[in-house]
Structures are given as C-alpha cells and as structure tokens.
Amino acid sequence: AAAGGAAGAAAGAGADDVPLHNEKMAPVLRSLTEHYRNVVRLRQAMESVQEAIDVCDHYRSGDLLLIVWSRKQKTMQGNAPPRAFRVMMSFTRYEHTAKIYRAALPDGTAAGEPRLSHMIRTYRDSALGLDELACAEVYRLQVPALVVGGKASHDALAALYGDVWRERLQEKFHEIEGALHAKHQKVLGKITNPLARVMNIGTAAVMPWRKKTKKRQDFEAIRNQLFRTSNESELLQMTCSEFAIKSSIASLLELEREVRREWAEHCASSGGAAKDLPDPLLDVPFPANERLHTVKPERLREMLLHRKAIVPVELPAFVGAFVKI
C-alpha cells in the first residue's frame, strides 16, 4: 500500500519531472510507478472477473464448495495460521465446506448472483468470489440418481413431467435450495458453530467409533428445523459440513413433498385415484446412523461419491484462464 501510494504520487508528478539533483531516485520512482500501474491493471482485471462471476449461470443453488487446504495456503500471502492448525490440516485435503446459492431477486426468484451459505463460528452469508473459487473444488448433487423404485418410479415421473423428468427434478432441487438459503436467513442466522462442536471432528478422527450412533437420525426433524416458518427461537449448532449435509437433506425432503403433491394433483386431474409412489421416492444419500457433527468435508464427498450422486463442476473458462494454483 505504501509502495502504491508512493508510486501514485510519482505517477501524478511524473517521474520524468524529477529534479536533476534527484536523478539517482528517478529509476526507483519509475519502477514504483510501473508497479503501481500493474497493480491498478490487476485490480481492474479481478473486478471484471468478479462481475462475470456475478452474472454467469455456471453455478446453481445447492452446489457444494470444498476449500482445498493446499491451494488456500498459496493464496494466504504469508499469513500463516498457527502451527497446530497446519499440523492438523496436513492429514486432510479439505479445510471447509460451503453451499453455493443464487441470491433472491426483487421479484422473489432465487436467480441473482451466486453467494456462499456456510458456517464459520456463526452462520455466514458471503459473496462467492475469485479467492474462494481459486482454492476450491465444486460439486453438484445429482438428484435423479437418488430416485428409488426402478422402472415403476421412472414411468410415474415421466407421466408427470414428460421425458425430461430428470432435468425437472434437478431444476426443482436447485429452486428449493435457492429458496432455503435466500429466504430463510432468519432461521439460518441463528445457527452457531462453537469450537467445542468442531472438536468432535478431531475426536472422531482418533476414535472412529464415535462417528456412528445407534440412534437413527430423524431426517424429517432436520427438514422442519430449517424450513420452519414460525417465529419460535431455536438454538441450533452445526459444523460447516454438517450444515451442508442438513441443508441438502432438508431440500431433498422438501422436493419429495412437492413431487408427491404434484403427483396427487396429476392423478386427480386424470380422473383416477392417486397411485402409490415408493416411500421414500428419493433416498437420502447420507447414512441415518452417521453422527453428522463428526463429518469432515472428505467424508461428505466420499458418501456422495459412493452413491454416485455428485459430479464435479469445473471452473468457468474465464476463471480457469485467470487462476493457476
């Protein structure tokens, strides 16, 4: 900043106007001036990339952003974290999990600029920027892969949505995720992530039996917690990966409700009784006996890969050409 200020002053005065008795300083000032101009050009380029990120439709609500620790270190510019943290991160690939969503537009639709919905010590809603994309991997949940019931379910969904039923299911999921993160900020904003909860992840790493529980997770309760519309105050605690998992579960269950409602309306309009769909129609891709507060980003990715329910989302070309880490 000091160099930039000095160079800026030099740029204003003009390095060629330096008095002769300061001729030894002239090369230094010219160098600082050129450095300042390069900084300005770089800042303008980064602003242009950010503007492109904000308007492109490359990322969808519900996409998972996993921060790769080795890449993040390269962007920290000498701001080294505590040694103990660096040692801990040497055993893992990912440092953080966040959900991407599209901001709500004035007309109520969730199709604005991409943002991050995630947990640090408290809930954070922040811009999706070049810094995050430079050190992250992004994945997209594939909802059609979670449909159970085989051909009977596929035929029913085709009768309801046509041959593009897979695309319709996927699009509905993105819309529900967008609504959750864009329109339920009062609920999400009350969630915290105290250090004691984060420590459960480390404890489970050395005591793996702590990762499972005999009591099955109540997925419906998770959906009700995040999609509730009452003004009742409920203190929730979630780690970053736990938040990503629970918001995915809530959105999948909300999607199932919507599909069942539309199926019943379809059957009624066709003059017949509603035929039964499998229950559940969408299989939640997370084990019900998993202690979600012990899940690391790697484990989250592993569970979805095991179900063949995610695909990587590559960087947009205009970002990939700009970032080399």
Side-chain angles (χ1 to χ4, degrees), residues 36-266:
Y36 173 77
R37 289 169 178 164
N38 288 337
V39 169
V40 170
R41 285 193 287 266
L42 178 60
R43 183 184 299 121
Q44 291 171 341
M46 293 181 68
E47 289 173 352
S48 297
V49 171
Q50 185 60 54
E51 290 173 359
I53 291 172
D54 289 344
V55 299
C56 82
D57 59 0
H58 188 77
Y59 296 107
R60 307 299 307 278
S61 294
D63 287 351
L64 291 161
L65 181 140
L66 305 181
I67 297 293
V68 179
W69 173 241
S70 60
R71 295 182 191 172
K72 183 174 181 178
Q73 280 186 301
K74 295 177 182 179
T75 69
M76 297 178 72
Q77 301 180 2
N79 298 319
R83 183 175 182 276
F85 185 78
R86 297 200 305 272
V87 171
M88 180 180 71
M89 293 307 300
S90 67
F91 294 97
T92 186
R93 175 173 175 79
Y94 303 106
E95 183 226 9
H96 183 59
T97 307
K99 273 287 186 74
I100 296 174
Y101 79 98
R102 310 294 302 200
L105 293 175
D107 63 2
T109 59
E113 77 276 8
R115 298 186 63 80
L116 293 178
S117 179
H118 54 142
M119 298 299 305
I120 307 295
R121 282 293 162 267
T122 57
Y123 172 76
R124 293 281 183 87
D125 174 85
S126 56
L128 173 63
L130 183 60
D131 287 351
E132 289 78 22
L133 292 176
C135 56
E137 293 174 358
V138 178
Y139 294 91
R140 181 166 298 159
L141 184 66
Q142 297 296 284
V143 176
L146 304 177
V147 174
V148 300
K151 186 176 184 302
S153 294
H154 295 180
D155 290 345
L157 290 170
L160 182 58
Y161 299 124
D163 293 338
V164 294
W165 65 266
R166 292 176 177 84
E167 291 82 358
R168 289 289 300 277
L169 275 187
Q170 189 70 35
E171 186 62 31
K172 283 177 175 292
F173 174 75
H174 292 315
E175 291 172 357
I176 290 170
E177 280 272 8
L180 171 61
H181 296 283
K183 301 178 183 179
H184 290 260
Q185 293 278 322
K186 287 186 178 179
V187 174
L188 304 183
K190 296 177 182 178
I191 305 174
T192 61
N193 182 25
L195 184 59
R197 194 169 189 86
V198 178
M199 294 302 293
N200 286 309
I201 299 174
T203 301
V206 296
M207 293 186 285
W209 59 88
R210 298 277 307 266
K211 298 178 182 180
K212 303 292 182 180
T213 176
K214 294 181 180 179
K215 183 179 179 181
R216 293 174 61 85
Q217 293 278 348
D218 186 346
F219 291 155
E220 192 63 35
I222 292 172
R223 180 260 165 213
N224 293 338
Q225 285 177 336
L226 297 184
F227 274 101
R228 71 179 187 273
T229 56
S230 69
N231 293 322
E232 296 178 5
S233 176
E234 184 175 1
L235 299 178
L236 300 176
Q237 294 183 355
M238 299 182 198
T239 64
C240 63
S241 294
E242 181 182 7
F243 174 75
I245 291 172
K246 288 185 173 180
S247 58
S248 296
I249 291 172
S251 295
L252 286 170
L253 294 188
E254 187 70 10
L255 174 59
E256 172 137 352
R257 286 188 178 197
E258 184 173 317
V259 172
R260 288 186 178 281
R261 182 173 60 252
E262 292 180 354
W263 174 247
E265 292 171 355
H266 169 77

